[in-house]
Structure formats: C-alpha cells, structure tokens
Amino acid sequence: MTEQTYCDRLVQDMPFLTGLGRLSEQQVDRIILQLNRYYPQILSNKDAEKFRNPKVSLRVRLCDLLGHLQRSGERDCQEFYRALYIHAQPLHSCLPSRHTLRPVAFLTCLGLAAGLALLVYCCPPGGCCLAKPQPSPLQTMGQSPAGWTEAYT
C-alpha cells in the first residue's frame, strides 16, 4: 500500500481550503510570498502577482494557486503544506487529509485489537499466566532455600 502523496492530499484538502473564511487574504499573501521568495522555481514573480491580484476574488486566486501547484508536482505541493503550516498552523492541523485513517494505521490498530482480544480470551480468570512467575524446579521438589516460597506465592 502506498502512502498518500502531497498532491493527493492537496486534491483532498482543496474544498476545505477554499471554503469561505478558511484562509484570510493576509495568510494567502504570506504563503504566496514565501513560495515566491524562497522557491522562485515554484512561483515566478509573474505567477505571484497573478495569485495576489486583489481585483480577483480570494477564492478564485486560491483555486488557481492550488491547481498550479498540483500541475507543478509533488515537491511544490509539499512546499505549499510547509508554508501553510508556518502561516496558518491552526488550519493546517484541521485539514481533512491529516485525519484520514490510512490503511497501514487501520491494519496496525486491527492487529493490536486482535492481539489484545486473544490475550484476554486465553488468560485464566485469576490473571494472566504470563504475569505470575513460574515455580523453579527447586520449588516443585520441595528443596527451595528459605524465603523463596514466600517471595513467589
């Protein structure tokens, strides 16, 4: 099973991110500026100006930016998530892709639950046979040194 890519996450998170009031104008501007300044290969000056144009609605600009990043590739999507974390950390922690139970996590939980159920089912009512120390051969033959029987009973 493959892990979800950043581009896959962006597809899943796009409706959430473009929802009314999720990201402010200032947060989007900061994300665009970070991608443009630190990673000019991701967003050129021309692209940054286009995505920061106040004459176009914020939602349209954000949709265009996210579409541009998806077409650009995995690394660009990953840098978007890094910028989102820096400039909108509370929103980043609420993303739908962060709360999706992935197949590996599901199988891990299922295996743990099955193991615990088997342990509970196989243990005697007085406690688990693994929790009590087993008597040594000396104790079973009645030749144990003084004090050993009291310590293990």
Side-chain angles (χ1 to χ4, degrees):
M1 292 179 228
T2 59
E3 191 67 25
Q4 191 178 29
T5 67
Y6 285 98
C7 290
D8 294 338
R9 288 180 59 191
L10 200 53
V11 169
Q12 183 180 354
D13 293 334
M14 194 170 183
F16 178 81
L17 290 168
T18 57
L20 188 62
R22 297 278 188 208
L23 283 167
S24 69
E25 184 94 27
Q26 292 80 17
Q27 288 171 319
V28 173
D29 280 349
R30 287 186 209 125
I31 290 168
I32 291 169
L33 289 174
Q34 179 174 340
L35 293 174
N36 173 245
R37 288 182 184 155
Y38 293 108
Y39 308 101
Q41 65 276 18
I42 293 176
L43 279 185
S44 66
N45 288 336
K46 183 179 176 183
D47 289 332
E49 287 176 20
K50 179 177 99 174
F51 297 131
R52 293 185 70 217
N53 183 358
K55 294 178 184 174
V56 180
S57 77
L58 177 62
R59 187 173 193 282
V60 170
R61 288 185 282 142
L62 187 55
C63 286
D64 290 346
L65 171 65
L66 298 178
H68 171 82
L69 293 171
Q70 287 172 355
R71 290 186 298 278
S72 298
E74 183 67 14
R75 183 182 57 91
D76 297 2
C77 293
Q78 182 179 7
E79 293 307 328
F80 168 79
Y81 277 103
R82 181 173 288 139
L84 182 67
Y85 179 80
I86 291 168
H87 300 292
Q89 190 172 3
L91 183 70
H92 183 272
S93 63
C94 296
L95 291 171
S97 64
R98 290 184 48 88
H99 299 287
T100 300
L101 187 60
R102 292 177 179 82
V104 173
F106 173 75
L107 291 175
T108 302
C109 292
L110 182 64
L112 181 63
L116 287 174
L118 185 61
L119 190 64
V120 169
Y121 179 76
C122 292
C123 287
C128 185
C129 54
L130 300 176
K132 293 181 183 175
Q134 298 297 319
S136 71
L138 291 175
Q139 288 176 321
T140 57
M141 295 170 46
Q143 300 174 358
S144 63
W148 275 27
T149 25
E150 291 82 22
Y152 287 102
T153 55

